[in-house]
Coordinates of all heavy atoms in Angstrom, one line a residue:
T22 N -26.1 -12.0 1.0 CA -25.4 -13.1 1.8 C -24.9 -12.5 3.0 O -24.5 -11.4 3.1 CB -24.3 -13.8 0.9 OG1 -23.8 -14.9 1.8 CG2 -23.2 -12.8 0.7
E23 N -24.7 -13.3 4.1 CA -24.1 -13.0 5.3 C -22.7 -13.7 5.3 O -22.0 -13.5 6.3 CB -24.9 -13.3 6.5 CG -26.2 -12.7 6.6 CD -26.2 -11.2 6.6 OE1 -25.2 -10.6 7.2 OE2 -27.0 -10.5 5.9
D24 N -22.3 -14.4 4.4 CA -21.0 -15.2 4.2 C -19.9 -14.3 3.8 O -19.8 -13.9 2.7 CB -21.1 -16.4 3.3 CG -19.8 -17.2 3.2 OD1 -18.9 -16.9 4.0 OD2 -19.8 -18.1 2.4
R25 N -19.1 -13.8 4.8 CA -18.0 -12.8 4.4 C -17.0 -13.3 3.5 O -16.4 -12.7 2.6 CB -17.4 -12.3 5.6 CG -18.3 -11.5 6.6 CD -17.6 -10.9 7.7 NE -18.5 -9.9 8.4 CZ -18.1 -9.2 9.4 NH1 -16.9 -9.2 9.8 NH2 -19.0 -8.4 10.0
T26 N -16.7 -14.7 3.5 CA -15.8 -15.2 2.7 C -16.2 -15.1 1.1 O -15.5 -14.7 0.2 CB -15.5 -16.7 3.0 OG1 -15.0 -16.8 4.3 CG2 -14.5 -17.3 2.0
S27 N -17.5 -15.3 0.9 CA -18.0 -15.3 -0.4 C -17.9 -13.8 -0.8 O -17.6 -13.6 -2.0 CB -19.4 -15.8 -0.6 OG -19.6 -17.0 -0.1
V28 N -18.2 -12.8 0.0 CA -18.2 -11.4 -0.3 C -16.8 -11.0 -0.8 O -16.5 -10.3 -1.7 CB -18.7 -10.6 0.8 CG1 -18.6 -9.2 0.4 CG2 -20.2 -10.9 0.9
A29 N -15.8 -11.6 0.1 CA -14.4 -11.2 -0.3 C -13.9 -11.7 -1.6 O -13.2 -11.0 -2.3 CB -13.5 -11.7 0.9
I30 N -14.3 -12.9 -2.0 CA -14.0 -13.5 -3.2 C -14.7 -12.6 -4.3 O -14.0 -12.3 -5.3 CB -14.4 -15.0 -3.3 CG1 -13.5 -15.7 -2.3 CG2 -14.4 -15.4 -4.8 CD1 -14.1 -17.2 -2.1
V31 N -16.0 -12.2 -4.1 CA -16.6 -11.4 -5.2 C -15.9 -10.1 -5.3 O -15.6 -9.6 -6.4 CB -18.1 -11.2 -4.8 CG1 -18.7 -10.2 -5.8 CG2 -18.8 -12.5 -4.8
F32 N -15.5 -9.5 -4.2 CA -14.7 -8.3 -4.2 C -13.5 -8.4 -5.2 O -13.3 -7.6 -6.1 CB -14.2 -7.9 -2.9 CG -14.9 -6.8 -2.1 CD1 -15.8 -7.1 -1.1 CD2 -14.7 -5.5 -2.4 CE1 -16.5 -6.1 -0.5 CE2 -15.4 -4.4 -1.8 CZ -16.4 -4.8 -0.9
E33 N -12.7 -9.5 -4.9 CA -11.5 -9.7 -5.7 C -11.8 -9.9 -7.1 O -11.0 -9.4 -8.0 CB -10.8 -10.9 -5.0 CG -9.3 -11.2 -5.8 CD -8.7 -12.3 -5.2 OE1 -9.3 -12.9 -4.1 OE2 -7.7 -12.8 -5.7
R34 N -12.8 -10.8 -7.4 CA -13.0 -11.2 -8.9 C -13.6 -10.0 -9.7 O -13.2 -9.9 -10.9 CB -13.9 -12.4 -8.8 CG -13.3 -13.6 -8.4 CD -14.2 -14.8 -8.4 NE -13.4 -16.0 -8.0 CZ -13.9 -17.2 -8.0 NH1 -15.1 -17.4 -8.4 NH2 -13.2 -18.3 -7.5
V35 N -14.5 -9.2 -9.2 CA -15.1 -8.2 -10.0 C -14.3 -6.9 -10.1 O -14.6 -6.0 -10.9 CB -16.6 -7.8 -9.5 CG1 -17.4 -8.9 -9.3 CG2 -16.3 -7.1 -8.1
N36 N -13.2 -6.8 -9.3 CA -12.4 -5.6 -9.3 C -11.0 -5.8 -9.8 O -10.0 -5.2 -9.3 CB -12.4 -5.0 -7.9 CG -13.7 -4.3 -7.6 OD1 -14.1 -3.2 -8.1 ND2 -14.5 -4.9 -6.7
R37 N -10.9 -6.7 -10.7 CA -9.5 -6.9 -11.3 C -9.1 -5.9 -12.3 O -7.9 -5.8 -12.8 CB -9.4 -8.2 -11.8 CG -9.3 -9.4 -10.7 CD -9.2 -10.8 -11.2 NE -9.1 -11.8 -10.2 CZ -9.2 -13.1 -10.3 NH1 -9.5 -13.6 -11.5 NH2 -9.1 -13.9 -9.3
M38 N -10.1 -5.2 -12.7 CA -9.9 -4.1 -13.7 C -10.3 -2.7 -13.0 O -11.1 -2.7 -12.1 CB -10.7 -4.2 -14.9 CG -10.3 -5.5 -15.7 SD -8.7 -5.5 -16.3 CE -8.8 -4.3 -17.6
G39 N -9.7 -1.6 -13.5 CA -10.1 -0.2 -12.9 C -9.6 -0.1 -11.5 O -8.5 -0.7 -11.2
I40 N -10.2 0.7 -10.7 CA -9.8 1.0 -9.3 C -10.4 0.1 -8.4 O -11.7 0.0 -8.2 CB -10.2 2.5 -8.9 CG1 -9.5 3.4 -9.9 CG2 -9.8 2.7 -7.5 CD1 -9.9 4.9 -9.7
P41 N -9.5 -0.9 -7.7 CA -10.2 -1.9 -6.9 C -10.7 -1.5 -5.6 O -10.2 -0.7 -5.0 CB -8.9 -2.9 -6.7 CG -7.7 -2.0 -6.8 CD -8.1 -0.9 -7.8
L42 N -11.9 -2.0 -5.4 CA -12.4 -1.9 -4.0 C -12.1 -3.3 -3.3 O -12.9 -4.2 -3.5 CB -13.9 -1.6 -4.0 CG -14.6 -1.2 -2.7 CD1 -14.1 0.0 -2.1 CD2 -16.1 -1.1 -3.0
D43 N -10.9 -3.4 -2.9 CA -10.4 -4.8 -2.6 C -10.5 -5.2 -1.1 O -11.2 -4.5 -0.3 CB -8.9 -4.8 -2.9 CG -8.2 -3.7 -2.2 OD1 -8.6 -3.2 -1.3 OD2 -7.1 -3.4 -2.8
T44 N -10.0 -6.3 -0.8 CA -10.2 -6.9 0.5 C -9.6 -6.0 1.5 O -10.1 -6.0 2.7 CB -9.5 -8.3 0.5 OG1 -9.8 -9.1 -0.6 CG2 -9.7 -9.0 1.8
Y45 N -8.6 -5.3 1.2 CA -8.0 -4.3 2.2 C -9.1 -3.3 2.6 O -9.2 -3.0 3.8 CB -6.8 -3.5 1.5 CG -6.1 -2.5 2.2 CD1 -5.8 -2.8 3.6 CD2 -5.6 -1.4 1.6 CE1 -5.1 -1.8 4.3 CE2 -4.8 -0.5 2.4 CZ -4.5 -0.7 3.7 OH -3.8 0.1 4.4
Q46 N -9.8 -2.8 1.6 CA -10.9 -1.8 2.0 C -12.0 -2.5 2.8 O -12.7 -1.9 3.7 CB -11.4 -1.1 0.7 CG -10.3 -0.2 0.1 CD -10.8 0.3 -1.3 OE1 -10.8 -0.5 -2.2 NE2 -11.0 1.5 -1.5
L47 N -12.4 -3.7 2.2 CA -13.4 -4.5 3.0 C -13.1 -4.7 4.3 O -13.9 -4.5 5.3 CB -13.6 -5.7 2.2 CG -14.7 -6.7 2.7 CD1 -16.0 -6.0 2.5 CD2 -14.7 -8.0 1.9
L48 N -11.8 -5.2 4.6 CA -11.4 -5.4 6.0 C -11.3 -4.2 6.8 O -11.7 -4.2 8.0 CB -10.0 -6.2 6.0 CG -9.6 -6.6 7.4 CD1 -10.5 -7.7 7.9 CD2 -8.2 -7.0 7.3
T49 N -11.0 -3.0 6.2 CA -11.0 -1.8 6.9 C -12.4 -1.5 7.4 O -12.6 -1.0 8.5 CB -10.5 -0.6 5.9 OG1 -9.2 -0.9 5.6 CG2 -10.6 0.7 6.6
A50 N -13.4 -1.7 6.5 CA -14.7 -1.4 7.0 C -15.3 -2.4 8.1 O -15.8 -1.9 9.0 CB -15.7 -1.7 5.7
W51 N -14.8 -3.7 8.1 CA -15.3 -4.6 9.1 C -14.5 -4.4 10.4 O -15.1 -4.7 11.4 CB -15.0 -6.0 8.6 CG -16.0 -6.6 7.6 CD1 -17.3 -6.1 7.6 CD2 -15.9 -7.6 6.6 NE1 -18.0 -6.8 6.6 CE2 -17.1 -7.7 6.0 CE3 -14.8 -8.4 6.3 CZ2 -17.4 -8.6 5.0 CZ3 -15.1 -9.3 5.3 CH2 -16.3 -9.5 4.6
T52 N -13.3 -3.9 10.3 CA -12.6 -3.8 11.6 C -12.6 -2.4 12.3 O -12.2 -2.2 13.3 CB -11.2 -4.1 11.4 OG1 -10.6 -3.2 10.4 CG2 -10.9 -5.6 10.9
W53 N -13.3 -1.4 11.5 CA -13.3 0.0 11.9 C -14.1 0.1 13.3 O -15.1 -0.5 13.5 CB -13.9 0.9 10.9 CG -13.9 2.3 11.3 CD1 -12.8 3.1 11.1 CD2 -14.9 3.0 11.9 NE1 -13.1 4.3 11.7 CE2 -14.5 4.3 12.1 CE3 -16.2 2.7 12.3 CZ2 -15.2 5.3 12.6 CZ3 -17.0 3.7 12.9 CH2 -16.6 5.0 13.0
S54 N -13.5 1.0 14.1 CA -14.2 1.4 15.3 C -13.9 2.9 15.5 O -13.0 3.4 14.8 CB -13.9 0.6 16.5 OG -12.6 0.8 16.9
D55 N -14.5 3.6 16.5 CA -14.2 5.0 16.8 C -12.7 5.2 17.0 O -12.1 6.3 16.8 CB -15.1 5.4 17.9 CG -16.5 5.6 17.4 OD1 -16.8 5.7 16.2 OD2 -17.5 5.6 18.2
D56 N -12.1 4.2 17.6 CA -10.6 4.4 18.1 C -9.7 3.5 17.3 O -8.6 3.3 17.6 CB -10.5 4.1 19.6 CG -11.0 2.7 20.0 OD1 -11.4 1.9 19.0 OD2 -10.8 2.3 21.2
F57 N -10.1 2.9 16.2 CA -9.3 2.0 15.4 C -9.6 2.2 13.8 O -10.8 2.0 13.5 CB -9.4 0.6 15.8 CG -8.4 -0.3 15.1 CD1 -7.1 -0.4 15.4 CD2 -8.9 -1.1 14.0 CE1 -6.2 -1.3 14.7 CE2 -8.1 -1.8 13.3 CZ -6.7 -2.0 13.6
D58 N -8.7 2.4 13.0 CA -8.7 2.5 11.7 C -7.7 1.6 11.0 O -6.6 2.1 11.1 CB -8.7 3.9 11.1 CG -8.9 4.1 9.7 OD1 -8.9 3.1 8.9 OD2 -8.9 5.2 9.1
L59 N -8.1 0.5 10.4 CA -7.1 -0.4 10.0 C -6.2 0.3 8.9 O -4.9 0.1 8.8 CB -7.7 -1.6 9.3 CG -6.7 -2.7 8.7 CD1 -5.9 -3.4 9.9 CD2 -7.4 -3.7 7.9
Q60 N -6.7 0.9 7.9 CA -6.0 1.6 6.9 C -5.1 2.6 7.5 O -3.9 2.8 7.1 CB -7.0 2.3 5.8 CG -6.3 2.7 4.6 CD -7.2 3.0 3.4 OE1 -8.4 2.9 3.6 NE2 -6.8 3.5 2.4
G61 N -5.5 3.3 8.5 CA -4.7 4.4 9.0 C -3.6 3.8 9.9 O -2.4 4.2 9.8
S62 N -3.8 2.6 10.4 CA -2.8 1.9 11.2 C -1.7 1.3 10.2 O -0.5 1.5 10.6 CB -3.4 0.7 12.0 OG -4.4 1.2 12.9
F63 N -2.2 0.8 9.1 CA -1.1 0.3 8.1 C -0.4 1.5 7.6 O 0.9 1.4 7.3 CB -1.9 -0.4 6.9 CG -2.1 -1.8 7.2 CD1 -3.2 -2.6 6.6 CD2 -1.3 -2.6 8.0 CE1 -3.3 -3.7 6.7 CE2 -1.6 -3.9 8.1 CZ -2.5 -4.5 7.6
Q64 N -1.0 2.7 7.4 CA -0.2 3.8 6.9 C 0.9 4.2 7.9 O 1.9 4.6 7.5 CB -1.2 4.9 6.7 CG -2.1 4.8 5.5 CD -1.4 4.9 4.1 OE1 -0.2 5.0 4.1 NE2 -2.1 4.7 3.1
E65 N 0.5 4.2 9.2 CA 1.5 4.5 10.2 C 2.7 3.5 10.1 O 3.9 3.9 10.3 CB 0.9 4.4 11.6 CG -0.1 5.5 11.9 CD -0.8 5.3 13.2 OE1 -0.3 4.6 14.0 OE2 -1.7 6.1 13.5
M66 N 2.4 2.2 9.9 CA 3.5 1.3 9.9 C 4.3 1.5 8.6 O 5.5 1.4 8.6 CB 2.9 -0.1 9.8 CG 2.4 -0.6 11.1 SD 1.6 -2.3 11.0 CE 3.0 -3.2 10.5
A67 N 3.6 1.9 7.5 CA 4.4 2.3 6.3 C 5.4 3.3 6.4 O 6.4 3.4 5.9 CB 3.4 2.6 5.2
Q68 N 4.9 4.4 7.2 CA 5.8 5.4 7.6 C 7.1 5.1 8.3 O 8.1 5.5 8.2 CB 5.0 6.7 8.3 CG 4.0 7.3 7.3 CD 3.1 8.3 8.1 OE1 3.4 8.4 9.3 NE2 2.1 8.7 7.4
D69 N 6.7 4.1 9.3 CA 7.9 3.7 10.2 C 8.8 3.0 9.3 O 10.1 2.9 9.6 CB 7.2 2.7 11.2 CG 6.5 3.4 12.3 OD1 6.6 4.6 12.4 OD2 5.7 2.8 13.0

């Protein structure tokens, strides 16, 4: 599918057990560029 909403729902539903590959990681992949890392940006805010 190319429907990202459906993919995000599948992410959430199949990963309720074990180590989740969740929407956070999914969004990190979609928003990443050479000069931006969502997960890294959140970590910086967490430190602040």
Side-chain angles (χ1 to χ4, degrees):
T22 182
E23 300 300 324
D24 180 6
R25 293 186 173 188
T26 301
S27 298
V28 176
I30 293 171
V31 171
F32 256 105
E33 180 182 356
R34 291 186 179 181
V35 302
N36 285 288
R37 287 179 177 170
M38 300 294 289
I40 299 175
L42 189 61
D43 54 20
T44 307
Y45 183 37
Q46 293 166 293
L47 182 62
L48 187 66
T49 297
W51 279 337
T52 59
W53 181 85
S54 69
D55 287 338
D56 57 355
F57 181 84
D58 179 353
L59 180 70
Q60 192 166 356
S62 298
F63 273 154
Q64 290 290 1
E65 290 177 8
M66 290 176 61
Q68 292 171 6
D69 291 341

